[in-house]
Amino acid sequence: MKNDKVNTKTIKVDYLARVEGEGALYVKIKGNTVTDVKFKIFEPPRFFEAFLRGRSFCEAPDITARICGICPVAYQMSSSHAMEDAFGIRVDGQLRALRRLLYCGEWIESHALHVYLLHAPDFFGYDDAIQMAKDYPDIVQRGLQLKKTGNEVVILIGGREIHPINVRVGGFYKALTKQELNSLTEKLKRARDIALEAVSWTAKFDYPDFEQDYEFVALRHPDEYPFNEGKLISNKGLDIFVHEYDNHFIEEQVAYTNALHSKLKERGAYFVGPLARFNLNFDRLSPLAKEAAHSAGLSPVCRNPFKSIIVRSVEMVYACDEALRIIGQYEKPEIPAIPFQPTAGTGYGCTEAPRGILYHRYRVDDNGRILDAKIVPPTSQNQKTIENDLWQFIPKYLDLPSEELKYDCEKAIRNYDPCISCATHFLKFNIDRE
Amino acid sequence: MKSLIDTLSSIAREEHASKIISLTVKLGALSHISPDHFREHFIHASRGTVAEGARLTIEVMTDTTHPQSQDVLLENIEIMNS
Ligand SMILES: [Zn+2]
């Protein structure tokens, strides 16, 4: 170590690094026509898929949770469900309820971040939440409080804030007591009130007149608003089991981006996320969430992606409501996890991450060693739809100076809450006018 | 992240450093990125660069009213001279 000291030196930098570059948009305009739109995102799943090969099945929930710091629960849930599918086990009863509760926490946390800190500033013409916090400190504080409550749910059930460690294939490492869950009740009631305010607040925003004929894809469960399971359906006739995913969806390698473009083989681009869930599962929302939606003038089918901010708020109401329902009916399960033996096979899992369906597929051998992994995150599924929106959106604003056009494009992209939040005001914007 | 890596590379070049041993970054309270998430991105982005394998220290700031609360500040880096 002494030798190192001779050769090393510490440099004070004080360099402000906007963490950008993960998202980039290239727009080409000839005269008054948009001739090219390319939206690029940085995405790590490909690297994780390779990394998973040769690992044990039980590592999948923890490894994949690291793909995203905003929706780690989704990755844990999809991977756990896929493995359980491969081994032929079913997590039911209170363990299943506990998983739903964990998911509620993640939705509250992720939606609160997006609604208050990322998306709302767009509707007021602010560049970011800092500016908005100056003029609306109370609102930003409420958003942070909501986010914190979501966090607390994830910490309590998941065991850790960022990358929960309590989730395992078959259930949990430790099941919580009723008393432990009760500690969340008052906070969740307060959070639900804030979420209700968020619905009426966002309903008053000024929305661009922009509607497209999307194909919405989401899970559909016989009697629940979907988190962990259901069939995959769409408003244009898709109705399949999760294990049929690969028969209907393909991923296309696109030269200009790390991410693969996901398409429906039959029809092309599709739309996943809160708006899709809401449109396809409105009848499964809790009465309170339904009522909130109605009083906000929101009903299915909503085809305006900018209104996804209202839908996210409605989903926060639902998530708080559902969390309170689960806690009310909870009894500590006898065992924290279902016992099982790994067997060779292929398992499929698809769950509703805050920003849309997250598909996992694993092939494992007799020892539960991963032979092959496939992960399709929601953002890559929406990527083609995002580009399509921009094709429609940009021509209306062609006369704007490039800076303003950039701002509007960012807004259009932010409707989808692309999981590059690390790079939220992210856009490297290249505009090529001829 | 790319701009951070670019900065690290150019500092390393200026200083004739063969390797970056460690670096410290501060995450603003509203920077929308968790330390672990940042770390994942850093590991991914630094691969094959002079910063690969560097020890990353992350400090999280809590002041939401700080003018740079949405940014990421690279505080210092420790380099090994060639
Ligand atoms: Zn990220």
Side-chain angles (χ1 to χ4, degrees):
Chain A
M1 278 293 129
K2 250 182 202 160
N3 262 349
D4 275 2
K5 266 209 172 132
V6 181
N7 296 322
T8 65
K9 78 172 173 189
T10 303
I11 304 167
K12 188 108 176 73
V13 188
D14 276 339
Y15 166 75
L16 198 59
R18 290 210 169 252
V19 187
E20 66 190 6
E22 276 85 357
L25 177 64
Y26 171 77
V27 177
K28 187 164 180 164
I29 297 166
K30 269 190 189 159
N32 287 320
T33 322
V34 178
T35 57
D36 201 6
V37 175
K38 288 186 179 118
F39 172 51
K40 309 182 192 189
I41 48 178
F42 164 90
E43 248 188 330
R46 303 300 130 191
F47 151 69
F48 276 89
E49 287 173 350
F51 187 61
L52 282 161
R53 247 170 263 143
R55 299 266 180 165
S56 163
F57 74 93
C58 59
E59 291 182 89
D62 289 329
I63 293 173
T64 59
R66 310 199 131 251
I67 292 176
C68 180
I70 311 164
C71 46
V73 171
Y75 282 90
Q76 294 198 320
M77 291 291 111
S78 285
S79 56
S80 298
H81 274 250
M83 291 302 179
E84 285 151 15
D85 182 47
F87 303 148
I89 54 169
R90 225 190 123 65
V91 172
D92 241 320
Q94 293 294 346
L95 286 175
R96 181 177 184 279
L98 214 46
R99 284 187 169 177
R100 266 184 92 72
L101 182 57
L102 182 59
Y103 232 136
C104 290
E106 174 151 295
W107 274 25
I108 297 168
E109 187 183 341
S110 171
H111 280 356
L113 173 73
H114 192 256
V115 166
Y116 286 91
L117 301 181
L118 305 184
H119 210 185
D122 285 347
F123 292 91
F124 293 88
Y126 292 118
D127 278 340
D128 52 44
I130 304 170
Q131 286 185 17
M132 196 173 90
K134 280 187 197 131
D135 297 341
Y136 297 94
D138 298 352
I139 286 176
V140 171
Q141 279 311 323
R142 282 208 300 269
L144 289 172
Q145 197 191 333
L146 200 53
K147 181 169 171 281
K148 190 159 167 265
T149 304
N151 255 339
E152 286 175 25
V153 175
V154 174
I155 294 170
L156 186 69
I157 321 284
R160 187 159 64 141
E161 179 173 11
I162 306 298
H163 295 113
I165 45 167
N166 191 25
V167 173
R168 54 170 291 186
V169 177
F172 291 89
Y173 286 101
K174 174 178 157 271
L176 287 100
T177 64
K178 175 123 184 146
Q179 206 178 1
E180 283 174 302
L181 294 195
N182 280 341
S183 68
L184 296 169
T185 305
E186 284 313 308
K187 288 171 189 162
L188 280 164
K189 282 184 182 161
R190 173 74 190 123
R192 185 170 59 184
D193 289 341
I194 299 175
L196 282 166
E197 279 170 22
V199 177
S200 45
W201 177 56
T202 54
K204 287 184 233 127
F205 292 177
D206 213 2
Y207 289 96
D209 199 6
F210 185 81
E211 291 193 353
Q212 301 292 312
D213 180 24
Y214 300 107
E215 176 153 9
F216 294 107
V217 173
L219 288 177
R220 171 91 173 158
H221 185 270
D223 37 53
E224 290 168 339
Y225 201 71
F227 281 145
N228 270 329
E229 53 185 336
K231 286 183 86 178
L232 278 161
I233 66 159
S234 86
N235 55 327
K236 298 201 173 175
L238 184 78
D239 186 356
I240 59 166
F241 292 101
V242 170
H243 67 255
E244 297 173 293
Y245 182 98
D246 294 307
N247 302 336
H248 295 266
F249 295 85
I250 46 162
E251 287 182 290
E252 249 175 18
Q253 190 82 53
V254 189
Y256 57 83
T257 171
N258 280 333
L260 298 172
H261 269 191
S262 206
K263 280 165 70 176
L264 265 165
K265 280 184 192 169
E266 291 88 355
R267 288 173 294 275
Y270 59 100
F271 189 133
V272 303
L275 201 55
R277 282 193 294 261
F278 176 85
N279 285 331
L280 297 169
N281 293 286
F282 179 80
D283 56 335
R284 303 279 189 262
L285 282 167
S286 65
L288 188 67
K290 264 188 218 165
E291 198 186 294
H294 273 312
S295 56
L298 192 71
S299 60
V301 178
C302 170
R303 292 194 170 83
N304 185 336
F306 290 89
K307 292 191 176 170
S308 61
I309 190 170
I310 318 176
V311 175
R312 279 194 181 84
S313 304
V314 170
E315 284 197 338
M316 290 195 290
V317 174
Y318 173 76
C320 294
D321 228 13
E322 177 68 358
L324 285 162
R325 186 191 68 78
I326 291 166
I327 292 172
Q329 298 179 354
Y330 183 75
E331 281 161 47
K332 189 181 175 194
E334 278 166 22
I335 44 167
I338 312 286
F340 63 91
Q341 273 297 320
T343 46
T346 301
Y348 307 83
C350 186
T351 73
E352 285 284 355
R355 33 196 78 64
I357 55 169
L358 169 61
Y359 173 71
H360 285 218
R361 184 195 72 204
Y362 300 96
R363 201 156 55 81
V364 291
D365 69 14
D366 262 327
N367 301 313
R369 214 160 45 100
I370 299 168
L371 301 171
D372 177 51
K374 177 173 177 171
I375 297 171
V376 190
T379 300
S380 75
Q381 306 192 61
N382 274 336
Q383 204 175 344
K384 204 168 167 48
T385 298
I386 296 173
E387 274 182 10
N388 287 353
D389 273 7
L390 291 166
W391 277 100
Q392 302 303 317
F393 188 77
I394 296 168
K396 300 185 182 182
Y397 301 94
L398 276 186
D399 297 337
L400 292 177
S402 293
E403 261 314 295
E404 284 172 46
L405 183 58
K406 171 186 182 232
Y407 186 71
D408 283 329
C409 288
E410 284 188 350
K411 277 162 74 171
I413 293 170
R414 228 162 357 248
N415 291 328
Y416 293 85
D417 189 9
C419 198
I420 41 176
S421 302
C422 32
T424 317
H425 289 269
F426 59 99
L427 219 48
K428 256 204 189 125
F429 184 64
N430 295 300
I431 186 162
D432 193 351
R433 295 189 201 250
E434 267 180 35
Chain B
M1 189 55 76
K2 194 176 170 299
S3 79
L4 176 66
I5 300 290
D6 288 348
T7 305
L8 291 172
S9 304
S10 72
I11 294 172
R13 223 174 348 209
E14 275 166 32
E15 301 285 337
H16 306 288
S18 57
K19 188 173 159 34
I20 293 177
I21 299 166
S22 69
L23 66 154
T24 304
V25 299
K26 278 186 170 172
L27 299 187
L30 299 174
S31 64
H32 314 307
I33 182 161
S34 67
D36 281 3
H37 196 181
F38 185 89
R39 191 176 295 280
E40 294 301 336
H41 277 282
F42 177 78
I43 291 168
H44 188 86
S46 64
R47 199 157 291 147
T49 75
V50 67
E52 179 167 351
R55 195 169 63 245
L56 172 64
T57 306
I58 302 170
E59 291 169 21
V60 181
M61 299 191 284
T62 50
D63 181 8
T64 55
T65 60
H66 190 279
Q68 284 160 2
S69 60
Q70 210 160 33
D71 295 311
V72 174
L73 188 73
L74 173 61
E75 274 248 297
N76 61 56
I77 68 176
E78 191 187 350
I79 55 168
M80 189 190 282
N81 282 118
S82 37

